[in-house]
Amino acid sequence: MNTTTFLKSLAKEPLLYFIAIALILLGLGEILEPPAQEIVISEGRVEHLRSVFERKWHRYPTDSELEQLIENYLREEILYREALALGLAENDTVIRRRLRMKMELTARNFAGTQDPGDRVLEKFLQGQADKYQNPPTLSFQQRFFSVDLASSDSRDFNDLLMQLNSGQASPMIGDSTLLPAAFIDTSEPRIDRQFGLGFSAQLSKLPVGKWSGPVRSTLGDHLVLLEEIKSTQLPALAEIRSRVLNDWQFQAQKKILQEQYLQYRKNYEVTVHKPDNFSAEVAVK
């Protein structure tokens, strides 16, 4: 069969046309197809996958489990890259917010590692002294009486005070109560929680160093020896350094985030097209 006869026979077989076209397209596909992207799963990444598994299951993964972890990571990486190539991340509110959070987290992590030293922290402490001041405290002793001392025999009441102030009173004087007999450097809110609202205010009006009263609580009457009143005090930096450092780092985070944003903002020209009927009131509604 000569060449002319062979070509004429091919022309009578449509299937051969499709085969020829498929071969041509396949060849073009191999020529035009972009080179494969390289994915390198480092030793550090594998170790991270193994550590995550260990923290969750409290044991090391088996070889087959580790292979599956690597395969899952590879699947995630490939689909992630393909999703980016298809533009699936664009105009996605959830993804936008997560990326913003990751950008801000970078700045926060940096600020969280900084320690400016005692000189800076001391200045920061003094600049916000009201925030760190210890509240006023009172030190006192009390004796509880279930009867109304003010309405009882005045001679008995005065005798009780004289015995207490002279040191002649029995340690057991007063009625039984679950309240402590002595309070040392106790804040006003704590006092009021145990004796009732307003009890600490009555104590602050008593003379220091002398038994006096009666002072009314929600339980009854009390004779009280007010020993000391400490006004608000700013503690030394050494006592609250960790708290001050945390607050300083929080302020530093806010400052870094703002500076980061303003620096990025310089790279963009922003045009906002507002509707003709736009107003602040419309925006609020």
Side-chain angles (χ1 to χ4, degrees):
M1 180 182 296
N2 57 34
T3 304
T4 303
T5 305
F6 175 73
L7 292 175
K8 288 181 178 180
S9 64
L10 285 178
K12 297 178 181 179
E13 298 291 339
L15 179 60
L16 296 177
Y17 284 109
F18 290 104
I19 294 175
I21 293 172
L23 291 173
I24 293 171
L25 292 176
L26 180 61
L28 289 174
E30 292 180 352
I31 295 172
L32 298 176
E33 184 178 357
Q37 299 183 51
E38 182 182 18
I39 296 178
V40 177
I41 302 179
S42 65
E43 183 178 337
R45 174 60 64 183
V46 174
E47 184 60 35
H48 173 73
L49 294 173
R50 183 163 56 182
S51 298
V52 172
F53 183 96
E54 181 189 2
R55 286 196 297 270
K56 181 176 180 180
W57 300 105
H58 306 291
R59 65 174 177 84
Y60 285 113
T62 64
D63 290 345
S64 61
E65 287 172 334
L66 184 58
E67 289 295 334
Q68 187 60 50
L69 291 173
I70 295 173
E71 179 60 30
N72 289 341
Y73 173 78
L74 180 59
R75 176 186 292 270
E76 180 183 274
E77 180 65 20
I78 291 174
L79 294 180
Y80 165 72
R81 294 189 184 192
E82 294 300 318
L84 289 181
L86 292 173
L88 298 183
E90 297 178 6
N91 300 320
D92 188 307
T93 302
V94 175
I95 293 177
R96 285 165 58 90
R97 288 176 180 172
R98 286 186 64 85
L99 291 176
R100 171 185 172 177
M101 290 171 60
K102 294 192 74 171
M103 288 289 290
E104 293 180 346
L105 183 62
T106 302
R108 289 194 179 99
N109 288 342
F110 173 76
T113 63
Q114 304 304 299
D115 187 331
D118 288 356
R119 180 177 298 179
V120 174
L121 291 181
E122 183 65 44
K123 183 178 179 180
F124 183 83
L125 171 62
Q126 295 296 333
Q128 304 187 53
D130 292 345
K131 179 178 179 180
Y132 299 102
Q133 283 182 339
N134 289 326
T137 61
L138 296 89
S139 298
F140 64 95
Q141 298 182 41
Q142 64 86 25
R143 299 293 184 269
F144 169 68
F145 296 87
S146 58
V147 298
D148 185 350
L149 292 177
S151 62
S152 62
D153 188 288
S154 60
R155 180 183 300 176
D156 293 340
F157 171 58
N158 291 328
D159 287 345
L160 286 174
L161 285 176
M162 289 179 59
Q163 292 176 33
L164 287 167
N165 282 315
S166 65
Q168 298 178 0
S170 167
M172 303 302 295
I173 192 173
D175 298 329
S176 177
T177 178
L178 296 177
L179 291 170
F183 290 80
I184 307 297
D185 291 335
T186 307
S187 67
E188 294 179 350
R190 184 176 177 183
I191 293 172
D192 286 346
R193 282 197 297 270
Q194 298 195 58
F195 291 87
L197 188 63
F199 189 84
S200 61
Q202 297 180 72
L203 294 184
S204 62
K205 300 176 182 179
L206 299 178
V208 177
K210 177 182 178 182
W211 282 95
S212 54
V215 181
R216 171 71 64 175
S217 75
T218 56
L219 303 174
D221 282 353
H222 304 260
L223 296 181
V224 177
L225 171 61
L226 182 60
E227 297 177 312
E228 185 180 18
I229 298 178
K230 289 183 179 179
S231 59
T232 56
Q233 292 182 330
L234 184 63
L237 175 62
E239 299 177 27
I240 56 170
R241 192 181 193 281
S242 60
R243 178 186 170 193
V244 176
L245 177 60
N246 287 337
D247 291 343
W248 180 90
Q249 289 175 340
F250 179 73
Q251 293 292 334
Q253 289 172 3
K254 294 173 62 177
K255 184 177 180 181
I256 290 174
L257 286 173
Q258 181 64 9
E259 291 177 350
Q260 177 194 62
Y261 169 72
L262 293 177
Q263 188 63 36
Y264 289 146
R265 181 67 176 78
K266 294 177 182 177
N267 300 326
Y268 296 88
E269 292 185 4
V270 180
T271 302
V272 180
H273 297 284
K274 297 179 180 178
D276 294 337
N277 62 348
F278 179 86
S279 68
E281 292 183 359
V282 173
V284 171
K285 294 180 181 178

